[in-house]
Structures are given as C-alpha cells and as structure tokens.
C-alpha cells in the first residue's frame, strides 16, 4: 500500500544542474536583455509618460518607451539607472538618502519575454517604473529621432488622433502593455504608500498633492476631504513651517514627505 505522504509528493524532473556533465553554452539559443522605462510625471494636471520616436528599424518612426540593451559589465538596476540618466538627466533616488533636486523614484516593474516581442532576435526586457515631478521638455538621444511627454491616455489609444492632430499608431514592440502595467502600478501604489509624493517637488502644498492623485487616478477629489485624510495620516506629511502663493490666492502651507512608506489608513481610489 502506498503511503499517503508519498502520494502527495511532487515529482521534479531532473534539470541541467542535476546532470553530471559540463555546461555547454552552445546547447542553448542566445538572447539579449534590455531595460525599458515607464517614466511618469504630471504635466498640466495630466499623467504623462516619456515617449521616443524610433529613428531606426524595427518600427522606425513609431513611438516607443525609452530603454536599451543591458551592457556586459552592469546589472539590471545599473542599466535602468543609466538609461534614466541618459534619457532624462535624472538620478535614481536612494530612499535612505536625502531627496535630490534631480532625483527620481525608480523600481523594477515586470519582465517581458514573449519570443516574438522583438523581430530582430530573442529579447527579454526587464521594465522599470520611474516617477518624478514635473520635468522639462526632453531631448532625443541615441537612436531616437524625437522625444516628448505625452498623456498616457493618448499613448494607449488605438487609432484616432492625438492632441496635436497627429494620427495615433500603437506603440512599438509590446510597449503599450508595459506602459499600461506601469500606469496601473502607479495608480495602485499611491493608494497604500506615500509614492504620490515622488511626483511633487521637495516642498509642496496639499493642493498640489491632490492634483497628483487626480491626474494619476483620472478623477476629481473633494479638496476638504482630501486635506483631512492626508494631514491626518500619521507620517505621511510633515509641515515645513513655510507658505507659498505660487497657486495664487491666499498663502498655502508647505509640506514635505514624511517618513511613512505605508499609509494607514490607505487612500482608496474612488470608483469611477
């Protein structure tokens, strides 16, 4: 009679590490690794992503996310930070260090490895999400013939025309999927974390923070309820003691990001 524990055991097929033979790299097909960047910012009260127009095949002339191949002497985080600096002039922000004027939040998003995602060869992309305050107009570099900040709704739109009247074509490669995943990551994380402050300058008003939530979520929020929630959440915001009139009207109190990384209670996204 078979033991019950044996019936519940899982059969594991022997893999390459179990074989008592030398490793032969030529037995496996070569492939490349890239990093793609979903760089999000808030411009003119809209959530925008950095897009580059490809200057070379494949998908020449199409808009795409910035990125590039991982070099032989760098790991994934180094490659993502290098591409971020080359494309935007931003440095990846170390959460344990004081905030930098040119710093950006950078985190790994997901890995994409469909065998047909790149017509040149087998390419696996490790996408990263970068968030930063309102950024200046980008400058194209590398094989990109143009670069711009575009509303994410426009980049994810299939067909039709953009704000400038230009026909909208799908993003190159699988970048529409990567962008959609990055936007949803940002939308969900600002519910339970202090990540929304990454879209703000070092000192900001509650109204400016509210407009970040409104831009990322695509909804209008009640100013009084929002002010009560964010100022009442322990560790979320810290008063700086200063005020500003840059929004017009009466002076508004300035805050900086507090030490909390998780919000309790969370800022739940309104149902649309």
């Amino acid at each position: 009679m078979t033991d019950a524990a044996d019936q519940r055991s899982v059969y594991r097929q022997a893999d390459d590490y179990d074989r008592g033979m030398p490793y032969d790299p030529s037995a496996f097909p070569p492939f490349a690794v890239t990093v793609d960047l979903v760089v999000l910012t808030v411009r003119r009260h809209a959530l925008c992503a950095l897009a580059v127009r490809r200057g070379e095949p494949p998908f020449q002339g199409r808009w795409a996310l910035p990125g590039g191949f991982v070099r032989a002497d760098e790991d994934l985080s180094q490659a993502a930070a290098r591409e971020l600096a080359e494309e935007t002039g931003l440095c990846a922000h170390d959460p344990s260090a004081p905030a930098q004027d040119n710093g950006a939040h950078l985190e790994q998003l997901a890995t994409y490895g469909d065998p047909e995602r790149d017509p040149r060869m087998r390419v696996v992309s490790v996408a990263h999400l970068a968030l930063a305050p309102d950024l200046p107009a980008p400058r194209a570099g590398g094989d990109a013939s143009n670069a711009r900040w575009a509303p994410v709704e426009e980049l994810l739109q299939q067909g039709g025309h953009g704000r400038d009247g230009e026909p909208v074509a799908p993003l190159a490669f699988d970048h529409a999927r990567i962008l959609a995943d990055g936007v949803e990551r940002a939308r969900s994380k600002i519910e339970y974390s202090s990540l929304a402050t990454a879209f703000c300058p070092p000192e900001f008003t509650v109204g400016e923070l509210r407009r970040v939530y409104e831009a990322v979520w695509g909804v209008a929020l009640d100013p009084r309820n929002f002010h009560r929630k964010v100022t009442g959440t322990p560790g979320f915001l810290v008063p700086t003691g200063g005020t500003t009139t840059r929004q017009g009207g009466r002076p508004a109190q300035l805050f900086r990001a507090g030490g909390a990384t998780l919000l309790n209670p969370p800022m739940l996204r309104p149902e649309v």
Side-chain angles (χ1 to χ4, degrees):
M1 183 176 181
T2 305
D3 185 84
D6 293 338
Q7 293 179 340
R8 292 192 301 267
S9 63
V10 177
Y11 172 74
R12 184 180 70 84
Q13 183 177 0
D15 55 30
D16 295 318
Y17 298 105
D18 297 323
R19 299 172 183 169
M21 61 182 67
Y23 171 69
D24 181 10
S26 65
F28 302 93
F31 65 92
V33 179
T34 62
V35 289
D36 287 310
L37 299 179
V38 179
V39 186
L40 300 179
T41 193
V42 175
R43 290 171 59 86
R44 302 183 184 91
H45 309 307
L47 182 64
C48 296
L50 180 60
V52 297
R53 191 190 294 275
R54 290 189 55 78
E56 298 178 2
F59 304 107
Q60 185 173 7
R62 292 264 290 275
W63 291 101
L65 298 176
F69 288 91
V70 178
R71 297 173 179 171
D73 60 346
E74 61 187 359
D75 62 23
L76 294 173
S77 60
Q78 291 172 335
R82 173 180 54 79
E83 287 290 343
L84 179 66
E86 291 176 355
E87 299 286 354
T88 67
L90 295 170
C91 298
H93 173 56
D94 180 359
S96 63
Q100 305 175 55
D101 290 339
N102 67 334
H105 171 87
L106 180 66
E107 66 177 63
Q108 194 172 121
L109 175 63
T111 302
Y112 302 84
D114 189 299
E116 306 299 326
R117 64 178 304 275
D118 192 317
R120 295 169 293 187
M121 62 179 297
R122 179 71 188 272
V123 177
V124 174
S125 178
V126 183
H128 288 70
L129 174 65
L131 309 177
D134 186 16
L135 297 172
R139 292 181 299 177
D143 65 348
S145 61
N146 194 9
R148 64 169 179 153
W149 292 107
V152 295
E153 291 83 0
E154 179 181 319
L155 291 174
L156 294 174
Q157 179 181 349
Q158 299 296 319
H161 293 78
R163 289 185 177 182
D164 56 3
E166 180 183 6
V168 175
L171 290 174
F173 305 101
D174 53 356
H175 287 185
R177 176 189 173 191
I178 297 175
L179 174 60
D181 289 348
V183 170
E184 181 54 34
R185 168 75 67 85
R187 286 173 173 166
S188 62
K189 286 198 73 170
I190 66 173
E191 288 188 282
Y192 62 86
S193 77
S194 59
L195 193 61
T197 59
F199 288 103
C200 296
E203 294 186 356
F204 52 88
T205 67
V206 170
E208 289 169 337
L209 180 62
R210 187 186 79 250
R211 280 186 280 277
V212 166
Y213 275 90
E214 291 177 334
V216 176
W217 284 344
V219 298
L221 301 174
D222 181 79
R224 290 187 177 182
N225 287 340
F226 182 84
H227 190 285
R228 175 177 51 83
K229 288 180 180 179
V230 297
T231 56
T233 300
F236 190 9
L237 304 181
V238 177
T240 66
T243 60
T244 181
T245 57
R246 59 180 175 237
Q247 298 175 275
R250 299 172 56 186
Q253 187 176 8
L254 285 169
F255 295 84
R256 60 176 175 82
T261 55
L262 297 178
L263 304 184
N264 186 20
M267 295 282 297
L268 297 180
R269 191 184 339 180
E271 295 184 3
V272 180

